[in-house]
Amino acid sequence: MFRLTPQPIDTGAARRELRDAGAGGYVSFEGWVRDQNEGKQVTRLEYEAFAELAVKEGERIVREARARYPVKHALCVHRVGSLDLADMAVWVGVSSEHRGEAFEACRYIIDEVKHRVPIWKKEHYVSGDSGWVNCERCAVPGHAHRLG
Amino acid sequence: MFRLTPQPIDTGAARRELRDAGAGGYVSFEGWVRDQNEGKQVTRLEYEAFAELAVKEGERIVREARARYPVKHALCVHRVGSLDLADMAVWVGVSSEHRGEAFEACRYIIDEVKHRVPIWKKEHYVSGDSGWVNCERCAVPGHAHRLG
Amino acid sequence: MRLKIQYYALLREQAGRSEEWLETPAATPAGLYDELAARHGFTLAREQLKVAVNSEFSDWARALEAGDSVVFIPPVAGG
Amino acid sequence: MRLKIQYYALLREQAGRSEEWLETPAATPAGLYDELAARHGFTLAREQLKVAVNSEFSDWARALEAGDSVVFIPPVAGG
């Protein structure tokens, strides 16, 4: 399962979806907004998603993880909208009979989500500048900010 | 840090100890009591620790993880006493700048804790029998139970 | 041929809009991007993008049909 | 020489106690375990155990001193 949410991620509720009497191991990952990135002081972030395809691709990734590793349950929830420092941007949880598969599947999901799911992140900096992560070098300097 | 607790593990409080403005990734592991082990139906567990050495060895493991992987914070909490099915027996949490180290350190800690920390687990089965995990084959059949 | 284009992230900002309907001679997503990049001054090269048609990833050489919904996907940065 | 022995898990059950003070001729943890195994009917072989003296892992051939606290450690199963 993969979900997008404009609200703070409710990890307690998400975790409860993974409970299973036969599960002995549970691994979760959280992505937190850091106060800096590539040497720049970050003040806040905006996440924007192409929701329909993001959910489709996210669901594909979770299905792939389940096919590769014999896990009981797996879920990923990604936040969209405006986030402050230390907010949780993404959550992945996996339960499995033994711990190895839960670690592997959780890692697989977050790695693939970061590379494949159409979600974009705009960082706002202490300097007043801002930029779309992974697009900064592509864009004419200042261009994105001027139109933003 | 490594702690033992006879109370249910408070994962919310434990997680808060790992917050860090420079941390972008957080990985946690939970060990849950399964309803079966090696083909036997389990009804409940007892965990017993040699507390003084368990804490020393647990602290050593967490220090080793911090030396091997550049993480921000790492903590392991292990439950002792009587546990029911689906209860949490152990929790490991790691925060780091980037996610790779958090996964590696979390995995290292739980793997080492399971092999090195003097904590023992007695399983009680639907059959009415019981046994100390990893000591069953060593003991004369029924012996441990008769004296237990 | 009339198509719907939706814009996200940097492309949305550079286009100054979230979506538009367009009458275009472009037969493929590749041709369509070249047309729109010229019109809106997009700074991302096509090689940096992926494209989706009707909410599914697509080949750049796919034959577009009237009414198709097209999204150009800048480098992603989830998580 | 008088020593304190603490028992855990299967050894506690087989010894029927959590600890005891013992006057013993054993000079090392290895000798002490052989003596106690015979007395309490321990089913675990010494090769399956580790030993701690004064709450730290120890060599089996360490020279014990009066007042030492000894713990024999069955195969662990945390987590």
Side-chain angles (χ1 to χ4, degrees), chain B residues 56-118:
Chain B
K56 269 190 204 172
E57 186 72 355
E59 294 275 11
R60 267 194 288 262
I61 290 167
V62 172
R63 278 199 303 275
E64 289 165 12
R66 295 176 61 90
R68 284 169 180 245
Y69 309 102
V71 306
K72 294 286 188 182
H73 304 283
L75 173 61
C76 178
V77 184
H78 203 296
R79 180 90 180 269
V80 291
S82 185
L83 275 75
D84 291 321
L85 298 185
D87 281 353
M88 195 188 314
V90 60
W91 179 92
V92 181
V94 179
S95 62
S96 63
E97 196 173 343
H98 301 290
R99 69 187 181 282
E101 299 92 70
F103 274 103
E104 298 294 330
C106 187
R107 182 74 191 266
Y108 179 84
I109 291 168
I110 187 61
D111 285 354
E112 295 297 309
V113 164
K114 282 178 178 255
H115 285 105
R116 292 165 47 187
V117 174

